[in-house]
Amino acid sequence: MWPFEGFLFVHIACGAVGLVLFWIPTLGKKGSQTHRTVGHWYARLMLVTASMAFCMSITTLLDPMTTHPKQVALDWPQWRIEGIFGWMMMYLSILTIQLVWHGVVAIRNKKQHLANRHWPNLALNGLTVAAALLCAYRGWLIRESLMMGFSIVGVASGLTNLWFIYRDTPSRISYQLEHVKAIVGSGISVYTAFMAFGFVRLNPGHALNPRMWAIPLVVGLVIIIYHQARIRLAFMKRNAAGQGRQPTGAEA
């Protein structure tokens, strides 16, 4: 149990701080020093949080009954503990790492798009798709619809990221759009895990209630749609202003 408990402690400590920091750049002024500084700390904390979740999933698969005594006491069968706390947690941890990583490098490489095709970036997106499909398959084996349904997010995320990476000439705002999608998406992933796995400890009877899982997804999608619409609108206004400006004598 001690490795699992150690991973869990770091996971909760970093995740709790990260979940709070998430809202500062999300609601604050974009591009400010606060946005960048807090955003960097959020990204680091989420990478650690997700890495600890991955380690927890491995220890669960190695010894599901010992690592989750509360679920054993509630008569959870071994196959369900392995599915939810093993395979699904593994998938969600990889998805979170991929989202954070893509959100950071997409904005970092806005002036050198080809750098996004570095092999670790490609491998991480491919791994996310594979993990999502594995989660769906394991969910199908145990008839767990939640595992199958949520795997769609990972497949969509990996494929859309790869589509962006292999675009020849992304627009000037594509990097901002990808940054918003990925970083807010990582928040959705972590809050979803919190609503699910956290509720296992607080209220086991509602831990796998789809309504609990839907709350972060709906809130996150609203945030993504709002910020992407704001970015597009600002871009359109700048273009309109540039086209309407009269050229100076030097420009003429």
Side-chain angles (χ1 to χ4, degrees):
M1 278 291 292
W2 70 264
F4 180 85
E5 294 294 340
F7 298 142
L8 178 62
F9 175 81
V10 178
H11 174 78
I12 293 175
C14 293
V17 178
L19 289 178
V20 175
L21 293 184
F22 168 79
W23 295 104
I24 297 176
T26 299
L27 301 177
K29 183 179 179 181
K30 305 301 177 285
S32 65
Q33 184 60 46
T34 300
H35 179 96
R36 292 193 295 269
T37 301
V38 176
H40 283 314
W41 277 108
Y42 167 79
R44 294 186 183 103
L45 287 168
M46 286 301 100
L47 290 175
V48 174
T49 300
S51 299
M52 293 299 100
F54 182 85
C55 294
M56 289 160 59
S57 71
I58 297 298
T59 54
T60 294
L61 292 173
L62 292 174
D63 194 351
M65 310 305 279
T66 301
T67 52
H68 296 278
K70 290 186 178 181
Q71 279 60 56
V72 174
L74 292 171
D75 295 325
W76 278 41
Q78 178 174 334
W79 52 264
R80 196 179 195 201
I81 296 175
E82 290 176 344
I84 299 298
F85 294 98
W87 299 111
M88 189 170 190
M89 183 176 282
M90 179 186 294
Y91 153 62
L92 286 175
S93 65
I94 294 173
L95 174 63
T96 302
I97 292 172
Q98 176 245 28
L99 288 169
V100 173
W101 182 263
H102 182 73
V104 171
V105 300
I107 204 72
R108 179 185 296 169
N109 296 332
K110 62 182 178 181
K111 294 183 179 180
Q112 44 179 358
H113 181 63
L114 291 180
N116 289 311
R117 299 179 189 176
H118 192 44
W119 73 265
N121 202 21
L122 300 176
L124 185 55
N125 284 286
L127 179 61
T128 302
V129 174
L133 294 175
L134 177 59
C135 179
Y137 172 68
R138 302 298 303 196
W140 175 76
L141 289 178
I142 64 175
R143 300 297 185 266
E144 189 64 65
S145 59
L146 199 58
M147 294 176 64
M148 292 184 283
F150 210 75
S151 65
I152 297 173
V153 177
V155 174
S157 178
L159 293 181
T160 55
N161 286 358
L162 289 172
W163 176 78
F164 164 76
I165 289 170
Y166 278 102
R167 287 177 63 184
D168 290 330
T169 54
S171 67
R172 286 185 292 171
I173 62 171
S174 293
Y175 305 98
Q176 292 173 282
L177 298 176
E178 288 295 312
H179 176 73
V180 168
K181 180 196 75 174
I183 294 299
V184 178
S186 70
I188 295 174
S189 179
V190 176
Y191 267 101
T192 299
F194 169 76
M195 296 295 286
F197 304 127
F199 258 71
V200 166
R201 294 174 176 269
L202 300 176
N203 193 342
H206 293 85
L208 301 181
N209 188 331
R211 294 178 182 177
M212 302 306 300
W213 288 66
I215 293 173
L217 180 61
V218 172
V219 173
L221 287 176
V222 170
I223 294 173
I224 290 174
I225 292 170
Y226 167 75
H227 281 300
Q228 290 197 341
R230 181 184 57 79
I231 292 169
R232 289 190 172 95
L233 182 60
F235 181 69
M236 292 170 61
K237 286 182 176 179
R238 286 196 299 268
N239 281 349
Q243 292 174 0
R245 183 173 62 87
Q246 295 296 326
T248 64
E251 288 173 334

